[in-house]
Coordinates of all heavy atoms in Angstrom, one line a residue:
M1 N 85.4 91.6 12.2 CA 84.6 90.9 11.2 C 85.3 89.7 10.6 O 86.7 89.7 10.5 CB 84.3 91.9 10.0 CG 83.7 91.3 8.8 SD 83.2 92.4 7.5 CE 84.7 92.7 6.7
E2 N 84.6 88.7 10.4 CA 85.1 87.5 9.8 C 84.2 87.0 8.7 O 83.0 87.1 8.9 CB 85.3 86.4 10.9 CG 85.8 85.1 10.5 CD 85.8 84.1 11.5 OE1 85.7 84.4 12.7 OE2 86.1 82.9 11.2
V3 N 84.7 86.5 7.7 CA 83.9 85.9 6.7 C 84.1 84.4 6.7 O 85.2 83.9 6.8 CB 84.4 86.5 5.3 CG1 83.7 85.8 4.2 CG2 84.3 87.9 5.2
M4 N 83.0 83.7 6.7 CA 82.9 82.3 6.7 C 82.2 81.8 5.5 O 81.0 82.2 5.2 CB 82.3 81.7 7.9 CG 82.4 80.2 7.9 SD 81.8 79.5 9.6 CE 82.2 77.9 9.4
I5 N 82.8 81.0 4.6 CA 82.2 80.5 3.4 C 82.0 79.0 3.5 O 83.0 78.2 3.7 CB 83.0 80.9 2.2 CG1 83.2 82.4 2.2 CG2 82.3 80.4 0.9 CD1 84.3 82.8 1.2
I6 N 80.8 78.5 3.4 CA 80.5 77.1 3.4 C 80.1 76.7 1.9 O 79.1 77.3 1.4 CB 79.3 76.8 4.3 CG1 79.7 77.3 5.7 CG2 79.3 75.2 4.4 CD1 78.6 77.3 6.6
T7 N 80.8 75.7 1.4 CA 80.7 75.3 0.0 C 80.9 73.9 -0.2 O 81.0 73.1 0.9 CB 81.4 76.2 -1.0 OG1 81.0 76.0 -2.3 CG2 82.9 76.0 -1.0
A8 N 80.9 73.4 -1.4 CA 81.2 72.0 -1.7 C 82.4 72.0 -2.7 O 82.6 72.9 -3.6 CB 80.0 71.2 -2.2
S9 N 83.1 70.9 -2.9 CA 84.2 70.7 -3.8 C 83.8 70.8 -5.2 O 84.5 71.1 -6.0 CB 84.9 69.4 -3.5 OG 84.1 68.3 -3.7
W10 N 82.5 70.5 -5.6 CA 82.0 70.6 -6.9 C 81.3 71.9 -7.3 O 80.9 72.2 -8.4 CB 80.9 69.5 -7.1 CG 80.0 69.4 -6.0 CD1 79.9 68.5 -5.0 CD2 78.8 70.2 -5.8 NE1 79.0 68.7 -4.1 CE2 78.1 69.7 -4.6 CE3 78.3 71.3 -6.4 CZ2 77.0 70.3 -4.0 CZ3 77.1 71.9 -5.9 CH2 76.5 71.3 -4.7
D11 N 81.5 72.9 -6.4 CA 80.9 74.3 -6.5 C 81.6 74.9 -7.7 O 82.8 75.0 -7.8 CB 81.0 75.1 -5.4 CG 80.4 76.4 -5.5 OD1 80.0 76.8 -6.5 OD2 80.4 77.2 -4.4
V12 N 80.8 75.3 -8.7 CA 81.5 76.0 -10.0 C 82.1 77.3 -9.6 O 82.9 77.8 -10.3 CB 80.4 76.2 -11.0 CG1 79.9 74.8 -11.5 CG2 79.3 77.1 -10.5
N13 N 81.7 77.8 -8.4 CA 82.4 79.2 -8.1 C 83.6 79.0 -7.1 O 84.1 80.0 -6.6 CB 81.3 80.0 -7.3 CG 80.2 80.4 -8.2 OD1 80.3 81.0 -9.3 ND2 79.0 80.2 -7.7
L14 N 84.1 77.8 -7.0 CA 85.1 77.5 -6.0 C 86.4 78.3 -6.2 O 87.0 78.9 -5.4 CB 85.5 76.0 -6.0 CG 86.3 75.5 -4.8 CD1 85.7 75.9 -3.5 CD2 86.5 74.1 -4.9
G15 N 86.8 78.4 -7.5 CA 88.0 79.3 -7.8 C 87.8 80.8 -7.5 O 88.7 81.4 -6.9
F16 N 86.7 81.3 -7.8 CA 86.3 82.7 -7.5 C 86.3 82.8 -6.0 O 86.8 83.9 -5.4 CB 84.8 82.9 -8.1 CG 84.3 84.3 -7.8 CD1 84.5 85.3 -8.6 CD2 83.4 84.5 -6.7 CE1 84.0 86.6 -8.3 CE2 82.9 85.6 -6.4 CZ 83.2 86.8 -7.2
I17 N 85.7 82.0 -5.3 CA 85.6 81.9 -3.8 C 87.1 81.9 -3.1 O 87.4 82.7 -2.3 CB 84.8 80.9 -3.2 CG1 83.3 81.0 -3.6 CG2 84.9 80.7 -1.7 CD1 82.5 79.8 -3.4
K18 N 87.9 81.1 -3.6 CA 89.3 81.0 -3.1 C 90.0 82.3 -3.4 O 90.8 82.8 -2.6 CB 90.0 79.7 -3.7 CG 89.5 78.5 -3.2 CD 90.3 77.3 -3.8 CE 90.0 75.9 -3.3 NZ 90.6 74.9 -3.9
Y19 N 89.9 82.7 -4.6 CA 90.5 84.0 -5.0 C 90.1 85.1 -4.0 O 91.1 85.8 -3.4 CB 90.3 84.4 -6.3 CG 90.6 85.8 -6.8 CD1 92.1 86.1 -7.0 CD2 89.8 86.9 -6.6 CE1 92.5 87.4 -7.4 CE2 90.3 88.1 -6.9 CZ 91.5 88.4 -7.2 OH 91.9 89.7 -7.5
H20 N 88.9 85.3 -3.7 CA 88.4 86.4 -2.8 C 88.8 86.1 -1.4 O 89.0 87.1 -0.6 CB 86.9 86.6 -3.1 CG 86.8 87.5 -4.4 ND1 87.1 88.8 -4.5 CD2 86.2 87.1 -5.5 CE1 86.7 89.2 -5.7 NE2 86.3 88.3 -6.3
C21 N 88.8 85.0 -1.0 CA 89.1 84.6 0.4 C 90.7 84.9 0.6 O 90.9 85.7 1.7 CB 88.8 83.1 0.7 SG 88.7 82.8 2.5
K22 N 91.5 84.6 -0.3 CA 92.9 85.0 -0.2 C 93.0 86.6 -0.2 O 93.8 87.1 0.6 CB 93.7 84.4 -1.3 CG 94.0 82.9 -1.2 CD 94.7 82.4 -2.3 CE 94.8 80.8 -2.2 NZ 95.5 80.2 -3.3
R23 N 92.3 87.3 -1.1 CA 92.3 88.6 -1.1 C 91.9 89.2 0.2 O 92.6 90.2 0.6 CB 91.4 89.1 -2.3 CG 91.5 90.6 -2.6 CD 90.4 91.0 -3.7 NE 89.2 90.7 -3.3 CZ 88.4 91.5 -2.4 NH1 88.9 92.6 -1.9 NH2 87.2 91.1 -2.2
L24 N 90.9 88.7 0.8 CA 90.5 89.3 2.1 C 91.5 89.0 3.1 O 91.7 89.9 4.0 CB 89.1 88.6 2.5 CG 87.9 89.0 1.7 CD1 86.7 88.2 2.0 CD2 87.5 90.6 1.8
L25 N 92.1 87.9 3.1 CA 93.1 87.5 4.1 C 94.2 88.6 4.0 O 94.9 89.1 5.0 CB 93.6 86.1 3.9 CG 92.7 85.0 4.5 CD1 93.2 83.6 4.0 CD2 92.6 85.1 6.0
N26 N 94.7 88.9 2.7 CA 95.8 89.9 2.4 C 95.3 91.3 3.0 O 96.2 92.1 3.3 CB 96.1 89.9 0.9 CG 96.8 88.7 0.4 OD1 97.5 88.0 1.3 ND2 96.7 88.3 -0.7
K27 N 94.1 91.5 3.1 CA 93.5 92.9 3.5 C 93.5 92.9 5.1 O 93.1 93.9 5.7 CB 92.2 93.1 2.9 CG 92.3 93.6 1.5 CD 90.8 93.9 1.0 CE 90.2 95.1 1.5 NZ 89.0 95.4 0.9
G28 N 93.7 91.6 5.6 CA 93.7 91.6 7.2 C 92.3 91.2 7.6 O 92.0 91.2 8.9
I29 N 91.4 90.8 6.7 CA 90.1 90.2 7.1 C 90.1 88.8 7.2 O 90.5 88.0 6.3 CB 89.0 90.8 6.2 CG1 88.9 92.2 6.1 CG2 87.7 90.2 6.6 CD1 88.2 92.9 4.9
R30 N 89.6 88.2 8.3 CA 89.7 86.7 8.5 C 88.7 86.1 7.6 O 87.5 86.6 7.5 CB 89.4 86.4 9.9 CG 90.5 86.8 10.9 CD 90.0 86.3 12.3 NE 89.9 84.9 12.4 CZ 89.4 84.2 13.5 NH1 89.0 85.0 14.5 NH2 89.2 82.9 13.4
C31 N 89.1 85.1 6.8 CA 88.3 84.4 5.9 C 88.4 82.9 6.0 O 89.6 82.5 5.9 CB 88.5 84.8 4.5 SG 87.5 84.1 3.2
K32 N 87.3 82.2 6.4 CA 87.5 80.8 6.5 C 86.7 80.1 5.4 O 85.5 80.3 5.3 CB 86.9 80.5 7.9 CG 87.1 79.0 8.3 CD 86.7 78.6 9.7 CE 86.8 77.2 10.0 NZ 86.3 76.9 11.3
L33 N 87.2 79.2 4.7 CA 86.5 78.5 3.6 C 86.4 77.1 4.2 O 87.4 76.3 4.5 CB 87.3 78.4 2.4 CG 86.8 77.7 1.4 CD1 85.5 78.1 0.8 CD2 87.8 77.7 0.0
T34 N 85.2 76.5 4.3 CA 84.9 75.2 4.8 C 84.0 74.5 3.8 O 83.3 75.1 3.0 CB 84.3 75.1 6.1 OG1 83.0 75.8 6.1 CG2 85.0 75.8 7.2
M35 N 84.3 73.2 3.7 CA 83.4 72.4 2.8 C 82.3 71.7 3.7 O 82.5 71.4 4.8 CB 84.3 71.2 2.2 CG 85.4 71.7 1.3 SD 84.7 72.7 -0.2 CE 86.1 73.7 -0.6
I36 N 81.2 71.4 2.9 CA 79.9 70.9 3.8 C 80.3 69.6 4.4 O 79.6 69.2 5.4 CB 78.9 70.7 2.8 CG1 79.1 69.9 1.5 CG2 78.3 72.1 2.3 CD1 77.9 69.6 0.7
N37 N 81.3 68.8 3.9 CA 81.6 67.5 4.5 C 82.7 67.5 5.5 O 83.2 66.5 5.9 CB 81.8 66.4 3.4 CG 82.9 66.8 2.4 OD1 83.4 67.9 2.6 ND2 83.3 65.9 1.5
D38 N 83.1 68.7 5.8 CA 84.3 68.8 6.7 C 83.9 68.6 8.2 O 84.7 68.4 9.1 CB 84.9 70.3 6.8 CG 85.8 70.6 5.5 OD1 86.1 69.5 4.9 OD2 86.1 71.7 5.3
G39 N 82.6 68.4 8.5 CA 82.1 68.2 9.8 C 82.2 69.5 10.7 O 82.2 70.6 10.1
G40 N 82.2 69.3 12.0 CA 82.2 70.5 12.8 C 80.9 71.3 12.8 O 79.9 70.7 12.6
S41 N 81.0 72.6 12.8 CA 79.9 73.4 12.9 C 79.4 73.9 11.5 O 78.4 74.5 11.3 CB 80.1 74.7 13.7 OG 81.1 75.4 13.0
S42 N 80.2 73.5 10.4 CA 79.8 74.0 9.0 C 78.4 73.4 8.7 O 77.7 74.2 8.1 CB 80.9 73.6 8.1 OG 81.0 72.1 8.0
K43 N 78.1 72.2 8.9 CA 76.8 71.6 8.5 C 75.7 72.4 9.4 O 74.6 72.7 8.8 CB 76.7 70.1 8.9 CG 77.4 69.3 7.8 CD 77.2 67.8 8.0 CE 78.1 67.0 7.1 NZ 77.9 65.6 7.2
E44 N 75.9 72.6 10.6 CA 75.0 73.2 11.5 C 74.6 74.7 10.9 O 73.5 75.1 10.9 CB 75.3 73.3 12.9 CG 75.4 71.9 13.7 CD 76.1 72.0 14.9 OE1 76.2 73.1 15.5 OE2 76.3 70.9 15.5
L45 N 75.7 75.4 10.6 CA 75.5 76.8 10.0 C 75.0 76.8 8.7 O 74.1 77.6 8.4 CB 77.0 77.4 10.0 CG 77.6 77.9 11.3 CD1 79.0 78.3 11.2 CD2 76.7 78.8 12.1
L46 N 75.3 75.8 7.9 CA 74.7 75.5 6.6 C 73.2 75.4 6.6 O 72.3 76.0 5.9 CB 75.3 74.5 5.8 CG 74.9 74.3 4.4 CD1 75.3 75.5 3.5 CD2 75.5 73.1 3.7
I47 N 72.7 74.5 7.5 CA 71.3 74.4 7.8 C 70.6 75.5 8.2 O 69.5 75.9 7.8 CB 71.1 73.1 8.6 CG1 71.6 71.8 7.8 CG2 69.6 72.9 9.0 CD1 71.6 70.6 8.6
K48 N 71.2 76.1 9.2 CA 70.6 77.4 10.0 C 70.5 78.5 9.0 O 69.4 79.2 8.9 CB 71.4 77.7 11.2 CG 70.8 78.9 11.9 CD 71.6 79.1 13.2 CE 70.9 80.2 14.0 NZ 71.5 80.3 15.3
Y49 N 71.6 78.9 8.2 CA 71.6 80.0 7.4 C 71.5 79.8 5.9 O 71.2 80.8 5.2 CB 72.8 80.8 7.7 CG 73.0 81.3 9.0 CD1 73.9 80.7 10.0 CD2 72.2 82.4 9.4 CE1 74.0 81.2 11.3 CE2 72.2 82.8 10.8 CZ 73.2 82.3 11.7 OH 73.3 82.7 12.9
G50 N 71.7 78.5 5.4 CA 71.7 78.4 4.1 C 70.4 77.7 3.5 O 70.3 77.3 2.3
S51 N 69.5 77.4 4.4 CA 68.2 76.7 4.0 C 67.0 77.7 3.7 O 66.8 78.6 4.5 CB 67.8 75.7 5.2 OG 66.6 75.2 4.8
R52 N 66.4 77.4 2.5 CA 65.3 78.3 2.2 C 64.2 77.3 1.6 O 64.5 76.5 0.7 CB 65.7 79.3 1.1 CG 66.6 80.4 1.6 CD 66.1 81.8 1.1 NE 66.8 82.9 1.5 CZ 67.8 83.2 2.1 NH1 68.4 82.1 2.8 NH2 68.4 84.2 2.5
D53 N 63.0 77.2 2.1 CA 62.0 76.4 1.6 C 62.4 75.0 1.8 O 62.0 74.2 0.8 CB 61.5 76.8 0.3 CG 60.9 78.2 0.4 OD1 60.3 78.7 1.3 OD2 61.2 78.9 -0.7
G54 N 63.1 74.6 2.7 CA 63.6 73.1 2.9 C 64.8 72.7 2.0 O 65.1 71.6 1.9
I55 N 65.3 73.6 1.3 CA 66.4 73.4 0.2 C 67.6 74.0 0.7 O 67.6 75.3 1.0 CB 66.1 73.8 -1.1 CG1 64.8 73.0 -1.7 CG2 67.3 73.6 -2.1 CD1 64.3 73.6 -3.0
V56 N 68.7 73.3 0.8 CA 70.0 74.0 1.4 C 70.8 74.3 0.0 O 71.0 73.4 -0.8 CB 70.8 73.0 2.2 CG1 72.2 73.6 2.5 CG2 70.1 72.8 3.4
K57 N 71.2 75.5 -0.2 CA 72.0 75.9 -1.3 C 73.4 76.3 -0.8 O 73.6 76.9 0.1 CB 71.3 77.2 -1.9 CG 69.9 76.8 -2.4 CD 69.3 77.9 -3.1 CE 67.9 77.6 -3.7 NZ 67.3 78.8 -4.4
V58 N 74.4 76.0 -1.7 CA 75.7 76.3 -1.5 C 76.2 77.2 -2.6 O 75.7 77.0 -3.7 CB 76.8 75.2 -1.3 CG1 76.3 74.4 0.0 CG2 76.7 74.1 -2.5
P59 N 77.1 78.0 -2.5 CA 77.9 78.4 -1.2 C 76.9 79.3 -0.4 O 76.1 79.9 -0.9 CB 79.0 79.2 -1.8 CG 78.5 79.8 -3.0 CD 77.6 78.8 -3.7
V60 N 77.3 79.3 0.9 CA 76.7 80.2 1.9 C 77.9 81.1 2.3 O 78.9 80.7 2.8 CB 76.1 79.5 3.0 CG1 75.6 80.5 4.1 CG2 74.9 78.7 2.5
V61 N 77.7 82.4 2.2 CA 78.7 83.4 2.7 C 78.2 84.1 3.9 O 77.1 84.8 3.7 CB 79.1 84.4 1.7 CG1 80.2 85.2 2.0 CG2 79.5 83.6 0.3
L62 N 78.8 83.9 5.0 CA 78.3 84.4 6.3 C 79.3 85.6 6.7 O 80.6 85.3 6.6 CB 78.3 83.4 7.4 CG 77.5 82.2 7.1 CD1 77.6 81.2 8.1 CD2 76.0 82.7 7.0
I63 N 78.9 86.7 7.0 CA 79.7 87.8 7.6 C 79.4 87.7 9.1 O 78.3 88.1 9.7 CB 79.4 89.2 7.1 CG1 79.4 89.1 5.6 CG2 80.3 90.3 7.7 CD1 80.8 88.8 5.0
L64 N 80.4 87.4 10.0 CA 80.3 87.2 11.4 C 80.9 88.5 12.0 O 82.1 88.8 11.8 CB 81.0 86.0 11.9 CG 80.7 84.6 11.1 CD1 81.6 83.6 11.6 CD2 79.2 84.3 11.4
S65 N 80.1 89.1 12.8 CA 80.7 90.3 13.5 C 80.0 90.4 14.9 O 79.1 89.5 15.3 CB 80.2 91.6 12.7 OG 78.8 91.8 12.7
E66 N 80.4 91.3 15.7 CA 79.8 91.5 17.1 C 78.4 91.8 17.0 O 77.7 91.4 17.9 CB 80.6 92.7 17.8 CG 82.0 92.3 18.1 CD 82.7 93.5 18.8 OE1 82.0 94.5 19.1 OE2 83.9 93.4 18.9
S67 N 77.9 92.3 16.0 CA 76.4 92.7 15.9 C 75.6 91.6 15.4 O 74.3 91.6 15.4 CB 76.1 94.0 15.0 OG 76.7 93.6 13.7
G68 N 76.2 90.4 15.0 CA 75.4 89.2 14.5 C 76.0 88.7 13.3 O 77.1 88.8 12.9
V69 N 75.1 87.9 12.5 CA 75.5 87.3 11.3 C 74.7 87.8 10.2 O 73.4 87.9 10.3 CB 75.2 85.7 11.5 CG1 75.5 85.0 10.2 CG2 76.0 85.1 12.6
N70 N 75.3 88.1 9.1 CA 74.7 88.6 7.9 C 75.1 87.5 6.8 O 76.2 87.1 6.8 CB 75.2 90.0 7.6 CG 74.7 91.0 8.4 OD1 73.5 91.0 8.8 ND2 75.6 91.9 8.8
I71 N 74.1 87.3 5.9 CA 74.4 86.5 4.8 C 74.5 87.4 3.5 O 73.6 88.2 3.2 CB 73.1 85.5 4.6 CG1 73.0 84.7 5.9 CG2 73.5 84.5 3.5 CD1 71.7 84.1 6.0
I72 N 75.5 87.1 2.7 CA 75.7 87.9 1.5 C 75.7 86.9 0.3 O 76.0 85.7 0.5 CB 76.8 88.8 1.5 CG1 78.1 88.0 1.5 CG2 76.8 89.9 2.6 CD1 79.4 88.9 1.3
D73 N 75.5 87.4 -0.9 CA 75.6 86.5 -2.1 C 77.1 86.4 -2.4 O 77.9 87.3 -2.1 CB 74.9 87.3 -3.3 CG 75.0 86.6 -4.5 OD1 74.1 85.6 -4.7 OD2 75.8 86.9 -5.6
V74 N 77.4 85.3 -3.0 CA 78.9 84.9 -3.4 C 79.5 86.1 -4.2 O 80.7 86.4 -3.9 CB 79.1 83.5 -4.0 CG1 78.5 83.5 -5.3 CG2 80.5 83.2 -4.0
Y75 N 78.8 86.8 -5.1 CA 79.4 87.8 -5.9 C 79.6 89.0 -5.2 O 80.2 90.0 -5.7 CB 78.5 87.9 -7.2 CG 78.4 86.6 -7.9 CD1 77.3 85.8 -8.1 CD2 79.4 86.2 -8.6 CE1 77.2 84.6 -8.8 CE2 79.5 85.0 -9.4 CZ 78.3 84.3 -9.3 OH 78.3 83.0 -10.0
Q76 N 79.0 89.2 -3.9 CA 79.3 90.4 -3.1 C 80.7 90.3 -2.5 O 81.1 91.3 -1.9 CB 78.2 90.6 -2.1 CG 76.9 90.9 -2.8 CD 75.8 91.1 -1.8 OE1 75.6 90.2 -0.9 NE2 75.0 92.2 -1.8
L77 N 81.3 89.2 -2.5 CA 82.7 89.1 -2.0 C 83.6 90.1 -2.5 O 84.6 90.6 -1.9 CB 83.3 87.7 -2.2 CG 82.7 86.5 -1.4 CD1 83.2 85.2 -1.8 CD2 83.1 86.8 0.1
G78 N 83.5 90.4 -3.9 CA 84.4 91.4 -4.4 C 84.2 92.8 -3.9 O 85.1 93.7 -4.1
N79 N 83.1 93.1 -3.1 CA 82.9 94.4 -2.6 C 83.3 94.5 -1.2 O 83.3 95.6 -0.6 CB 81.4 94.7 -2.7 CG 80.8 94.7 -4.0 OD1 81.4 95.1 -4.9 ND2 79.5 94.3 -4.1
L80 N 83.9 93.5 -0.6 CA 84.4 93.6 0.8 C 85.9 94.0 0.7 O 86.5 93.9 -0.1 CB 84.3 92.2 1.5 CG 82.9 91.7 1.7 CD1 83.0 90.3 2.4 CD2 82.1 92.6 2.6

């Protein structure tokens, strides 16, 4: 399992997200934090999984596993 979080530098939850990403890393769970302007696949994933009714919302928290991709709410990070 890997957690991928796509957000922006102005996200009010950024401190919360960084804290839980470090906590997950300490538990041995891969956690990758990317910003929307980092390029690469983050924009593609954000559009694919973070778009609802034509509006893209950040943060997007993706749980990547062998069985596929699940999207969770940012506040569910504490339950992982």
Side-chain angles (χ1 to χ4, degrees):
M1 174 174 77
E2 178 181 353
V3 177
M4 183 172 188
I5 305 165
I6 306 168
T7 192
S9 59
W10 45 261
D11 185 355
V12 296
N13 295 309
L14 193 55
F16 178 86
I17 292 168
K18 286 181 178 180
Y19 169 81
H20 282 292
C21 201
K22 287 179 186 177
R23 185 183 60 79
L24 291 171
L25 287 169
N26 289 337
K27 287 176 69 174
I29 299 172
R30 292 181 59 191
C31 184
K32 182 178 180 184
L33 176 61
T34 62
M35 300 295 164
I36 56 175
N37 57 352
D38 283 349
S41 63
S42 61
K43 283 185 185 178
E44 293 170 10
L45 291 171
L46 182 63
I47 291 168
K48 184 173 182 177
Y49 295 107
S51 176
R52 291 226 183 353
D53 299 322
I55 298 171
V56 177
K57 297 182 180 179
V58 293
V60 174
V61 182
L62 305 172
I63 308 296
L64 310 170
S65 66
E66 291 178 9
S67 61
V69 177
N70 292 316
I71 305 165
I72 64 169
D73 185 77
V74 68
Y75 297 109
Q76 292 176 313
L77 282 172
N79 298 330
L80 296 178

